[in-house]
């Protein structure tokens, strides 16, 4: 189990403990550990060198170790005592009071020893421990963190643990006797216990104990210990990468170097360019291991760009803990790797199921609960949803117990939304998502420094404006957050930073009276409000409240406002300009204005056909310039050389008549890409629809006027749409991005129906355009494109059918692009 040598086994502050001394200290501790084979001993202490001695002393005496969270309450410890009936407890003076109170509550008297009493005692006369074991014997009982209720004791055998060790030391040589591992995470969890203590000591690489999770302590231990392997959870890597990236983004030079490394994609080059970062982390870092939860692709790719070898692991306590892990050099974003050779994986009803010699013996004294997760064929049902690709890689798509299921049948993964909210890190410290009726609600912990001098109402208003509204504009309707709750505390998490989702609603209930008193709002009964409410609820597929604001709460985009403007005009005979809509305090206030100014009240839908027949010939259209063709030729040549541009499907572009060209929107490169890849005759007669926000300033607006760009002017949206209609009536073409905004994740967003309205009412075909690779070349997080390959494919035109709705036409185009992207 541990080989005798004079190599350094443990670095703890200024102390260096050799493997030889480690074995002697294990013997010393074993004198005070229960001697009976098969008996259970608790370890209730913070990470320290004595924790390791106490742990191995239990194995030396053929006992079963039961690590307990050092932050556990009296009731928590009493629960474990009553559940597994230990005969001994290793603890520290700091925790002794809790232990004594827990024994009293449990009604049990147990032999207690203090870890620090023997940490520095002389061991010259002690024999070196000889730790022997039978593989089938129980080695550990690890109590699950309880994200969904009371914890259960997971029984792990020595074989369960050895299968994990062999997978990453023999099958794939990650751990060896030349690589020291950092002990950082709490050792009562199986991931840090097996991954940062048992594995590195088994192979002879040694460990260094970090005294805390603070940045300075981590850096000091990395440097002092010359750490080669660091195991962490996604929030740790998010913090680490975020801090480094902010410093990189502060300078145009370092930003350029970062983008250069991303395009070159060479580990040696990246380590050379960012050698200062590597030196600060000790200069020996070979592997960063992430486990405990899914890691965002941006962080994974970012650390790789910095020259770090990131390995993502997937598992659970019941698998001791590994079910799959990334092989060095095979980092695939959103993939958790390949199973060890000894394991068999299958997908049953979208759930990942695992079988192998590392699967637990069962839950202690809970045969029924064991049978509920391990089926008759020996497969552990993980509760995680996933898929397996043709190379055997596993992709986790969600957690079945954490999925929010809305009444419309849509499934929402809260962690996906939570990560996106936490990217607004100037305002958001932590975020959680809960279901509120048939809507999603965000619980946001604001950044302390920013929010200290603000009231909850002020913080809420700022978060709605600066976080919720920008987020809502990037996602489909069912993923939009319709309200938020400001929470000035720490969200409930396990020691591995997983949210305890079952406690979130209790936070709102418990804190609401003290922090934020919800005032019941009486539903207005006047008819104008009820008509407006029905229209908005049908359009947005939400439940409306009278206090909702048109932008902040309902996330109306430009087209939504145009539709609402037309509905109000058609129904009430009064006019509210789209630019004025956000000035109304809420929907009730807007309805009151309508009630006082209406000239009629007749409910009917916006007649887009009639609207587009409006005489628009006098509207001033932008125009092109004679150098456009030359410019597009130059741009096309650049993309072909730099991004290995591939152009497909231009034969699908109709030879005659007007058309709507509808590409997916991956990056700022998309507009120039379409211009540069269209046949010259089509390009010269194509007009582009762009948001006013992207063309602010006199120079940009002048550029738009002289390059066939129609601006979506917020103050006059209806004229903007009429201009698009006029272009098509003249037999020319319109390039419009149905998503409206660039993707945040690389995936397709919601398709707005502007182009579908134009297509159906003017009987103009739509040419879907599938853009691949532009997101990787220039995602939102970058300012300069990399040389990642880009492919653009013009798909067969879709001709409007009078029997189809606008939404159905939009969905057809989206599906065509989605099918192309998946090829």
């Amino acid at each position: 189990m541990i080989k005798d040598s004079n190599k350094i086994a443990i670095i703890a502050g200024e102390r260096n403990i050799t493997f030889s001394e480690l074995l002697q200290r294990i013997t010393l501790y074993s004198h005070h550990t229960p001697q009976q084979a098969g008996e259970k001993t608790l370890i209730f202490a913070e990470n320290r060198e004595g924790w390791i001695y106490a742990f191995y002393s239990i194995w030396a005496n053929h006992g079963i170790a039961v690590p307990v969270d050092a932050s556990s309450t009296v009731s928590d410890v009493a629960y474990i005592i009553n559940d597994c009936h230990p005969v001994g407890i290793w603890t520290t003076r700091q925790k002794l009071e809790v232990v004594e109170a827990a024994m009293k509550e449990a009604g049990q008297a147990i032999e207690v020893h203090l870890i620090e009493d023997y940490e520095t005692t002389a061991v010259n006369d002690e024999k070196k421990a000889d730790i022997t074991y039978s593989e089938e014997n129980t080695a550990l009982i690890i109590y699950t963190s309880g994200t969904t209720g009371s914890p259960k004791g997971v029984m792990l055998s020595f074989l369960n643990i050895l299968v994990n060790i062999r997978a990453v030391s023999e099958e794939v040589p990650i751990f060896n006797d030349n690589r020291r591992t950092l002990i950082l995470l709490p050792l009562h969890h199986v991931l840090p216990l097996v991954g940062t203590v048992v594995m590195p000591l088994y192979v002879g690489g040694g460990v260094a104990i970090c005294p805390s999770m603070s940045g300075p302590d981590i850096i000091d231990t990395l440097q002092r210990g010359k750490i080669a392997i660091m195991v962490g959870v996604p929030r740790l890597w998010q913090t680490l990468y975020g801090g480094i990236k902010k410093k990189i983004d502060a300078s145009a030079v370092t930003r350029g170097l970062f983008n250069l490394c991303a395009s070159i994609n060479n580990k040696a080059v990246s380590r050379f360019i960012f050698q200062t970062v590597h030196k600060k982390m000790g200069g020996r870092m070979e592997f960063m291991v992430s486990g405990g939860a899914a890691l965002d692709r941006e962080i994974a790719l970012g650390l790789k760009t910095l020259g770090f070898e990131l390995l993502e692991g997937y598992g659970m306590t019941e698998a001791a803990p590994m079910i799959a892990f990334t092989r060095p050099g095979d980092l695939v974003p959103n993939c958790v790797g390949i199973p060890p050779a000894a394991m068999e994986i299958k997908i049953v009803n979208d759930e990942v199921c695992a079988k192998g010699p590392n699967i637990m013996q069962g839950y202690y004294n809970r045969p029924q609960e064991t049978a509920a997760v391990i089926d008759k064929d020996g497969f552990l049902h993980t509760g995680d949803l996933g898929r397996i690709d043709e190379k055997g890689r596993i992709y986790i798509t969600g957690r079945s117990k954490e999925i929010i299921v809305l009444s419309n049948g849509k499934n929402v993964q809260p962690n996906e939304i939570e990560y996106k909210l936490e990217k607004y890190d100037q305002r958001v410290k932590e975020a959680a998502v809960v279901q509120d009726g048939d809507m999603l609600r965000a619980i946001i912990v604001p950044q302390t420094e920013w929010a200290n001098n603000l009231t909850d109402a002020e913080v809420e208003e700022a978060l709605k404006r600066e976080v919720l509204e920008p987020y809502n504009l990037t996602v489909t309707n069912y993923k939009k957050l319709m309200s938020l709750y400001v929470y000035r505390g720490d969200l409930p998490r396990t020691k591995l930073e997983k949210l305890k989702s079952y406690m979130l609603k209790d936070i709102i209930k418990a804190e609401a009276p003290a922090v934020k008193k919800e005032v019941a709002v009486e539903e207005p009964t006047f008819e104008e409000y009820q008509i407006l409410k029905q229209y908005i609820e049908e359009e947005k597929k939400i439940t409306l409240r009278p206090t909702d604001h048109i932008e902040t709460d309902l996330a109306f985009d430009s087209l939504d406002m145009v539709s609402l403007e037309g509905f109000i005009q058609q129904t009430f005979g009064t006019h509210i300009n789209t630019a004025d809509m956000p000035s109304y305090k809420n929907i009730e206030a807007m309805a009151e204005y309508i009630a006082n100014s209406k000239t009629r009240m007749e409910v009917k839908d916006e007649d887009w056909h009639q609207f587009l027949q409006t005489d628009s010939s006098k509207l001033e259209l932008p125009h092109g310039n004679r150098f456009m063709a030359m410019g597009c030729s130059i741009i096309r040549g650049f993309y072909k050389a730099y991004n290995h541009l591939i152009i497909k499907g231009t034969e699908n572009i109709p030879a005659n008549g007007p058309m709507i060209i509808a590409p997916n929107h991956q990056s700022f490169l998309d507009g120039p890409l379409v211009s540069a890849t269209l046949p010259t005759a089509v390009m010269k007669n194509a007009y582009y629809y762009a948001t006013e926000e992207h063309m602010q300033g006199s120079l940009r607006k002048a550029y738009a006027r002289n390059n066939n760009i129609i601006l979506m002017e917020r103050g006059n949206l209806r004229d903007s749409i009429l201009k698009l209609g006029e272009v098509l009536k003249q037999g020319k073409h319109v390039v419009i991005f149905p998503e409206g905004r660039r993707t945040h994740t690389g995936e397709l967003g919601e398709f707005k129906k502007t182009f579908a309205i134009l297509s159906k009412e003017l009987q103009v075909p739509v040419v879907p355009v599938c853009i691949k690779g532009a997101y990787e070349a220039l995602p939102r997080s970058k300012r300069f494109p990399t040389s990642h390959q880009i492919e653009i494919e013009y798909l067969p035109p879709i001709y409007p059918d009078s029997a189809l709705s606008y939404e159905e036409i939009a969905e057809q185009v989206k599906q065509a692009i989605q099918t192309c992207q998946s090829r």
Side-chain angles (χ1 to χ4, degrees):
M1 181 63 74
I2 297 177
K3 297 175 183 176
D4 180 17
S5 78
N6 288 322
K7 284 183 61 178
I8 301 298
I10 301 172
I11 297 175
E14 299 293 332
R15 282 174 51 76
N16 291 341
I17 298 94
T18 65
F19 279 94
S20 181
E21 183 183 345
L22 167 61
L23 290 169
Q24 289 180 298
R25 291 203 173 277
I26 291 170
T27 299
L28 173 64
Y29 275 66
S30 71
H31 298 325
H32 307 282
T33 294
Q35 305 295 307
Q36 305 96 316
E39 293 290 358
K40 294 170 283 292
T41 301
L42 264 59
I43 308 178
F44 179 53
E46 67 282 357
N47 290 4
R48 57 190 301 156
E49 59 176 291
W51 198 106
I52 299 173
Y53 308 145
F55 173 76
Y56 278 103
S57 76
I58 299 168
W59 282 1
N61 287 350
H62 304 286
I64 300 171
V66 185
V68 178
D69 184 352
S71 65
S72 295
T73 65
V74 170
S75 295
D76 293 335
V77 179
Y79 170 87
I80 293 174
I81 289 174
N82 275 326
D83 193 62
C84 71
H85 303 285
V87 297
I89 299 177
W90 280 105
T91 190
T92 60
R93 287 186 178 83
Q94 183 182 353
K95 302 296 179 184
L96 185 58
E97 185 178 341
V98 174
V99 169
E100 291 173 341
M103 288 192 296
K104 184 177 180 180
E105 184 176 314
Q108 295 190 38
I110 304 170
E111 186 179 349
V112 178
H113 291 282
L114 298 180
I115 285 174
E116 59 263 53
D117 283 355
Y118 311 101
E119 271 183 327
T120 57
T121 303
V123 291
N124 296 334
D125 298 328
E126 293 290 350
K127 293 182 179 179
K128 295 170 185 176
D130 181 18
I131 303 173
T132 59
Y133 53 86
S134 296
E135 290 188 350
E136 70 274 9
N137 286 351
T138 303
L140 292 168
I141 296 179
I142 299 277
Y143 278 83
T144 57
S145 53
T147 57
T148 56
S150 60
K152 300 181 288 289
V154 177
M155 297 186 295
L156 299 175
S157 69
F158 284 98
L159 176 61
N160 294 155
I161 296 168
L162 287 168
V163 169
N164 278 269
I165 294 174
R166 291 163 184 161
V168 292
S169 62
E170 299 172 12
E171 183 181 330
V172 181
I174 296 167
F175 288 82
N176 63 32
D177 59 0
N178 289 318
R179 292 172 181 156
R180 185 173 289 117
T181 302
L182 181 72
I183 295 179
L184 179 64
L185 302 175
L187 294 178
H188 68 279
H189 280 287
V190 69
L191 169 63
L193 175 54
V194 174
T196 68
V197 175
V198 181
M199 283 182 184
L201 293 180
Y202 183 93
V203 301
V207 300
I209 302 172
C210 189
S212 78
M213 294 281 285
S214 71
D217 278 344
I218 292 173
I219 295 299
D220 179 68
T221 309
L222 290 173
Q223 293 177 341
R224 186 193 299 271
K226 302 296 181 185
I227 299 299
I229 300 173
M230 181 177 175
V231 178
V233 292
R235 288 181 68 84
L236 172 67
W237 304 122
Q238 182 179 339
T239 302
L240 174 68
Y241 175 68
I244 296 172
K245 192 64 166 61
K246 276 187 178 178
K247 292 180 180 179
I248 288 173
D249 288 343
S251 163
V253 174
T254 49
R255 280 199 310 272
L257 290 172
F258 183 86
N259 291 331
L260 176 64
C261 288
S263 62
I264 294 174
N265 193 24
N266 182 282
K267 182 179 175 180
V269 172
S270 292
R271 289 179 76 92
F272 174 76
I273 289 178
F274 292 106
Q275 57 185 289
T276 303
V277 175
H278 287 264
K279 285 180 180 177
K280 191 170 184 179
M281 298 186 69
R284 296 279 189 89
M285 187 67 67
E286 293 190 55
F287 298 109
M288 290 178 166
V289 181
S290 181
L295 183 67
D296 185 79
R297 62 174 284 142
E298 180 185 335
I299 298 170
L301 294 174
L303 290 170
K304 182 182 179 183
T305 298
L306 292 171
F308 293 107
E309 182 78 68
L310 182 74
L311 307 178
E312 187 165 6
Y314 161 62
M316 54 196 302
T317 306
E318 289 84 345
M322 199 158 51
I323 294 174
F325 65 99
T326 307
R327 278 28 177 193
D330 189 37
L331 176 65
V332 178
N334 303 323
C335 166
V336 295
I338 299 172
M343 292 204 72
E344 181 182 350
I345 304 295
K346 66 179 181 179
I347 305 296
V348 179
N349 296 325
D350 294 327
E351 182 183 15
V352 178
C353 298
K355 179 181 180 179
N358 59 322
I359 301 302
M360 68 172 179
Q361 297 173 312
Y363 295 122
Y364 183 73
N365 276 345
R366 298 194 184 193
Q368 290 183 333
E369 294 188 41
T370 301
V373 297
I374 299 180
D375 64 27
K376 59 182 177 60
D377 296 321
F379 278 92
L380 173 70
H381 289 248
T382 66
D384 291 311
L385 306 178
R387 63 181 178 88
I388 304 173
D389 70 12
E390 66 282 355
K391 293 186 177 180
R393 300 189 187 100
I394 298 175
Y395 298 78
I396 301 301
T397 57
R399 178 76 179 161
S400 60
K401 291 180 181 178
E402 294 173 0
I403 288 177
I404 293 173
V405 182
L406 302 175
S407 65
N408 59 9
K410 296 291 188 180
N411 293 338
V412 177
Q413 286 291 348
N415 63 322
E416 172 192 332
I417 300 174
E418 288 155 3
Y419 177 74
K420 289 181 179 180
L421 295 179
E422 288 175 1
K423 281 190 173 183
Y424 298 92
D425 59 356
Q426 299 299 314
R427 296 286 182 265
V428 179
K429 181 181 178 183
E430 289 185 276
V433 175
V434 295
Q435 189 170 4
D436 185 5
D438 200 31
M439 298 187 298
L440 299 178
R441 187 180 194 186
I443 302 174
I444 294 182
V445 179
Q447 288 289 3
T448 306
E449 188 176 336
W450 166 67
N452 256 349
N453 298 319
L454 301 175
T455 66
D456 283 346
E458 290 171 331
V459 171
E460 180 180 335
E461 184 59 33
L463 290 174
K464 283 182 176 179
R465 185 176 61 253
E466 299 173 29
V467 177
L468 252 61
E469 183 181 346
Y471 162 78
N472 281 340
L473 289 172
T474 68
V475 296
T476 55
N477 280 336
Y478 73 90
K479 290 185 180 180
K480 289 180 179 177
L481 298 164
M482 292 297 116
S483 67
L484 71 85
Y485 174 79
V486 177
Y487 180 58
R488 297 184 188 255
D490 293 324
L491 295 179
R493 294 182 182 274
T494 69
K495 288 296 181 178
L496 292 188
E497 294 295 328
K498 291 182 181 179
L499 271 174
K500 295 183 178 180
S501 53
Y502 69 97
M503 295 177 65
L504 295 176
K505 287 188 178 180
D506 292 337
I507 284 180
I508 295 176
K509 290 177 184 176
E511 294 292 331
V515 178
K516 181 183 174 186
K517 295 181 180 179
E518 297 276 357
V519 180
V521 179
E522 186 176 346
E523 178 82 7
T525 58
F526 62 96
E527 194 168 1
E528 292 81 2
Y529 171 80
Q530 291 297 327
I531 291 172
L532 196 60
K533 175 187 176 183
Q534 183 178 353
Y535 170 81
I536 292 173
E537 287 185 339
E538 289 177 354
E539 282 289 305
K540 301 295 286 182
K541 305 295 187 291
I542 54 135
T543 301
L544 180 73
R545 295 167 301 184
T547 55
D548 284 340
H549 183 267
I550 196 79
E551 282 187 327
T552 308
D553 297 306
L554 301 180
F556 263 53
D557 62 19
S558 302
L559 183 59
D560 293 327
M561 291 186 193
V562 171
S563 298
L564 180 58
E565 179 185 354
F567 174 78
I568 292 171
Q569 179 76 42
Q570 291 282 334
T571 305
F572 302 107
T574 190
H575 181 243
I576 299 179
N577 193 291
T578 53
D580 297 330
M581 288 181 181
S583 65
Y584 289 91
K585 181 180 179 181
N586 50 43
I587 294 299
E588 183 178 7
M590 184 182 290
E592 287 173 348
Y593 170 81
I594 292 170
N596 293 325
S597 62
K598 71 179 186 295
T599 59
R600 64 172 180 267
M601 194 154 66
E602 181 184 358
V603 179
K604 56 182 180 179
D605 293 334
E606 168 74 81
D607 188 341
W608 286 107
H609 181 78
Q610 182 179 343
F611 170 70
L612 289 170
Q613 298 310 314
T614 303
D615 182 13
S616 54
S617 59
K618 295 181 181 179
L619 291 174
E620 184 181 354
L621 295 176
H623 51 84
N625 66 72
R626 56 182 177 173
F627 299 111
M628 284 180 66
M630 183 187 300
C632 288
S633 177
I634 293 170
I635 292 170
R636 182 169 58 251
F638 171 80
Y639 283 138
K640 282 189 173 182
Y642 187 65
N643 293 101
H644 315 290
L645 176 64
I646 298 173
I647 307 168
K648 297 180 179 178
T650 51
E651 68 277 5
N652 289 320
I653 300 173
N656 301 300
M659 74 189 83
I660 297 169
I661 299 163
N664 57 306
H665 206 353
Q666 292 202 328
S667 76
F668 274 139
L669 303 176
D670 299 340
L673 273 171
V674 174
S675 297
T677 55
L678 283 171
T680 302
V682 176
M683 179 273 298
K684 286 182 177 180
N685 287 296
Y687 287 72
Y688 302 81
Y689 195 36
T691 61
E692 191 175 29
E693 289 80 1
H694 290 153
M695 290 293 171
Q696 291 180 342
S698 57
L699 287 177
R700 289 187 178 185
K701 287 184 176 178
Y703 176 84
R705 286 194 301 271
N706 290 286
N707 286 275
N708 280 4
I709 298 174
I710 296 172
L711 293 182
M712 185 177 67
E713 299 173 283
R714 183 169 180 172
N716 203 347
L717 287 167
R718 294 173 75 80
D719 272 6
S720 300
I721 294 176
L722 284 173
K723 287 180 182 179
L724 296 174
E726 179 62 25
V727 166
L728 295 170
K729 289 176 190 176
Q730 292 180 12
K732 298 180 181 178
H733 322 298
V734 167
V735 178
I736 184 168
F737 293 95
E739 294 163 280
R741 286 173 170 78
R742 292 172 294 148
T743 177
H744 277 256
T745 64
E747 298 177 354
L748 284 181
E750 178 188 6
F751 272 36
K752 312 300 182 185
K753 60 187 180 184
T754 307
F755 78 99
I757 292 170
L758 292 166
S759 173
K760 179 175 179 177
E761 300 305 340
L762 298 177
Q763 287 297 292
V764 174
V766 180
V767 178
V769 184
C770 176
I771 300 176
K772 300 179 187 178
Y775 173 79
E776 289 78 10
L778 187 62
R780 282 176 174 262
S781 58
K782 294 185 178 180
R783 296 193 179 186
F784 302 101
T786 67
S787 61
H788 191 282
Q789 186 179 74
I790 296 175
E791 180 180 308
I792 184 165
E793 182 173 356
Y794 292 88
L795 305 174
I798 293 174
Y799 291 87
D801 184 333
S802 58
L804 295 177
S805 68
Y806 305 137
E807 290 80 8
E808 288 170 332
I809 293 172
E811 185 61 23
Q812 278 191 3
V813 175
K814 181 178 180 179
Q815 286 300 321
I817 295 174
Q818 205 152 37
T819 301
C820 172
Q821 285 195 318
S822 64
R823 290 202 295 261

